Amino acid sequence: MKTIENKMLVKEDFSNREDLPEWLLREYHTFHKTVTDKTFPCYFGMAAELGGELRYAYIEREDWSNLPKALMEFLKLFENPKHKRYGFFVFVEPFEKEGDLEDYRKEFWDILQYLHEQDPVEWPADAPKDPDHHLWDFRFGGEPIFVFGNAPAYKQRKTRDLGNAMVLGFQPRKIFKGLEGTEPGGINSRDKVRERVEKWDNLPKHPDISHFGDPTHNEWKQFFIGDDIVPIKGKCPFKHKDMN
């Protein structure tokens, strides 16, 4: 596979570039069709995809090496205020045969661990390193980022099935400014989206979904929720470099 120069992709690349793998073009087409469906519950995502406010990357089964650079390129966008609401989606080359939810969950956390190991920027001194701390957040390039997994193994939570590939969504914490779970605007917006999600999935909100900073909540648990209404048990798979 030819190495591409620009690690981060824009929407036009999927129709203009000839060096992208066929599986990626197929998966992006499915992603676009799904999130722009007029009934799709997350209107923020729909508007961002239609408005060209999303950026993308992909990783192949045996090669994740372009991802750290692509994510760093994405974070640099925020030096320009006009990009304040942008999101970043990473397509993972599908398994030869569809796995179960635990297969995708393991790979999801393996990818975040890989990013952490490759991160050239020190984890901020005032940021908790232990995922069991209620103020823990994933960090890359010094930035707090909410990451969420989507996979074909979701059979009930259809909003988390965006095609045959696992798709990781990266949302820097700064894009939620004014929309935090403790702010009136944020509470109202999120309640509306979650109401639409419940209708689409025909399933109540997952019990691990909350807002950042909730002292009764662990942020990592909503990164890759279950396909059910059962709280996630056990320890977070992520290990900070200093705690290994």
Side-chain angles (χ1 to χ4, degrees):
M1 179 64 63
K2 178 182 175 183
T3 302
I4 60 176
E5 293 298 322
N6 298 321
K7 305 302 183 186
M8 182 180 70
L9 304 173
V10 297
K11 184 161 65 170
E12 291 73 22
D13 287 331
F14 295 106
S15 53
N16 296 340
R17 285 177 53 162
E18 298 180 353
D19 58 343
L20 300 178
E22 285 296 323
W23 71 261
L24 176 64
L25 300 180
R26 287 194 302 271
E27 294 309 320
Y28 171 72
H29 175 76
T30 301
F31 171 88
H32 177 82
K33 184 178 179 182
T34 302
V35 302
T36 59
D37 185 302
K38 63 182 181 180
T39 66
F40 191 68
C42 182
Y43 40 74
F44 296 116
M46 183 192 306
E49 172 65 10
L50 290 171
E53 295 180 346
L54 298 183
R55 295 293 181 267
Y56 320 87
Y58 72 96
I59 57 178
E60 296 175 290
R61 199 105 298 283
E62 303 300 329
D63 184 8
W64 300 354
S65 60
N66 70 310
L67 183 54
K69 185 178 179 183
L71 182 52
M72 199 65 83
E73 288 175 7
F74 170 70
L75 294 175
K76 287 186 186 301
L77 291 177
F78 290 86
E79 294 172 5
N80 185 333
K82 78 174 186 178
H83 298 138
K84 66 179 182 179
R85 300 289 188 207
Y86 278 33
F88 182 62
F89 286 84
V90 176
F91 295 86
V92 182
E93 183 178 6
F95 294 126
E96 284 190 17
K97 181 180 179 183
E98 183 181 309
D100 61 28
L101 201 63
E102 288 308 311
D103 294 325
Y104 294 101
R105 178 179 275 121
K106 180 183 183 305
E107 187 167 52
F108 172 90
W109 285 108
D110 285 348
I111 291 167
L112 291 196
Q113 191 69 45
Y114 173 80
L115 278 170
H116 176 57
E117 299 289 344
Q118 300 298 316
D119 190 354
V121 179
E122 285 294 318
W123 199 276
D126 60 347
K129 297 175 181 176
D130 184 353
D132 280 339
H133 193 291
H134 73 281
L135 292 177
W136 178 88
D137 224 347
F138 180 71
R139 301 273 176 152
F140 187 83
E143 288 290 333
I145 305 172
F146 176 70
V147 191
F148 60 100
N150 308 275
Y154 282 104
K155 303 304 180 186
Q156 298 188 90
R157 297 193 177 277
K158 298 177 180 63
T159 46
R160 295 280 178 148
D161 176 5
L162 300 177
N164 294 319
M166 179 164 68
V167 182
L168 280 67
F170 290 74
Q171 297 176 316
R173 186 68 57 190
K174 62 178 66 174
I175 75 172
F176 300 117
K177 189 173 182 180
L179 297 173
E180 293 92 343
T182 53
E183 295 292 321
I187 294 170
N188 186 47
S189 298
R190 292 185 184 200
D191 281 351
K192 285 182 178 178
V193 169
R194 287 169 180 172
E195 200 174 287
R196 286 161 59 99
V197 167
E198 288 186 22
K199 186 175 180 181
W200 233 57
D201 291 349
N202 194 29
L203 206 63
K205 180 184 78 171
H206 194 278
D208 288 318
I209 297 291
S210 184
H211 66 268
F212 181 71
D214 179 351
T216 66
H217 166 72
N218 290 122
E219 185 74 355
W220 68 268
K221 292 184 178 181
Q222 65 175 356
F223 276 27
F224 202 107
I225 60 174
D227 195 25
D228 48 33
I229 52 172
V230 180
I232 293 172
K233 304 292 186 185
K235 298 285 289 183
C236 179
F238 176 83
K239 302 288 185 187
H240 190 281
K241 286 182 277 192
D242 292 350
M243 300 180 72
N244 282 339

